[in-house]
Amino acid sequence: MSEHGQMLSDVGADVVLVRSVEQLTGLDGLVLPGGESTAIAHLLETSGLRPAIDRSIADGLSVFGTCAGLILLSSKILDGRSDQWSFSALPVSVRRNGYGRQIASFETTVAVQGVGEVPGVFIRAPKIEAWSQEIEVLAEHDHGDGEHPVLVRYENVWGCSFHPELTGDRRVHGLFVDSL
Ligand code: GLN
């Protein structure tokens, strides 16, 4: 099972690894994982999942995008490929690799509202550079250029710059699953 799958299962969710449109039926929540956003976008197109997920989000399905998943949900992508699309479900502008490239990947501690301090693993992470006042900022991080949101929520759409699935701390997944 994927790291996200393991975490979600550890906090009590029944987990399905979604690879086809049919598997979206009946879900309470969906996690869009990290990786390479252009590659994930391509897979979402070829599998037919793009329009299905688009509809599900509009119908209120809770989605949680981490890292590349956050990029896929954002309303604006900076430094994206020229043809890069997104679901445009979260009113934030993200810069791909906004915290630097591979060499600049880092681990820090992030204070999450209602949870406390959790480890934050940032890997070629997207930086939220602009955001609507309507989003709920659940955690921010100052990487030397002021506070930027790193865990946000807007209605049924959650996004996270870091990788909560790569640590032993399940509380961010718990927060999402408890909201479902
Ligand atoms: N930099 C990657 C991208 O732009 C995201 C990195 C990640 O998901 N760890 O797609």
Side-chain angles (χ1 to χ4, degrees):
M1 195 183 288
S2 70
E3 287 95 349
H4 275 301
Q6 188 61 54
M7 286 255 166
L8 292 165
S9 152
D10 288 348
V11 297
D14 291 328
V15 178
V16 181
L17 293 182
V18 175
R19 303 208 189 283
S20 67
V21 172
E22 296 70 42
Q23 289 173 305
L24 280 178
T25 311
L27 296 185
D28 294 317
L30 176 70
V31 171
L32 297 176
E36 183 56 46
S37 53
T38 51
I40 298 174
H42 180 69
L43 285 171
L44 289 171
E45 291 270 22
T46 52
S47 60
L49 278 164
R50 177 184 176 182
I53 292 177
D54 213 12
R55 259 195 318 274
S56 299
I57 297 174
D59 288 347
L61 175 71
S62 288
V63 276
F64 186 13
T66 61
C67 209
L70 161 66
I71 298 171
L72 285 160
L73 292 172
S74 300
S75 53
K76 186 163 185 195
I77 303 171
L78 306 166
D79 291 342
R81 231 171 51 182
S82 57
D83 60 347
Q84 194 164 350
W85 60 269
S86 78
F87 290 113
S88 208
L90 191 58
V92 299
S93 301
V94 288
R95 187 172 300 280
R96 290 181 74 197
N97 305 314
Y99 290 95
R101 295 207 157 261
Q102 195 75 36
I103 196 128
S105 294
F106 61 98
E107 189 163 346
T108 184
T109 302
V110 172
V112 176
Q113 235 179 67
V115 163
E117 305 229 308
V118 305
V121 179
F122 290 74
I123 303 170
R124 296 172 59 234
K127 183 181 274 182
I128 297 179
E129 292 201 343
W131 55 96
S132 157
Q133 291 309 306
E134 287 174 40
I135 67 165
E136 202 180 330
V137 177
L138 297 170
E140 359 180 62
H141 173 66
D142 183 351
H143 207 59
D145 59 350
E147 299 282 1
H148 289 257
V150 291
L151 176 62
V152 300
R153 180 182 184 178
Y154 175 66
E155 297 170 352
N156 53 323
V157 183
W158 298 57
C160 186
S161 293
F162 57 96
H163 284 269
E165 80 284 13
L166 295 183
T167 71
D169 195 312
R170 305 181 176 89
R171 288 174 296 166
V172 172
H173 288 79
L175 210 57
F176 177 64
V177 168
D178 286 349
S179 79
L180 302 176

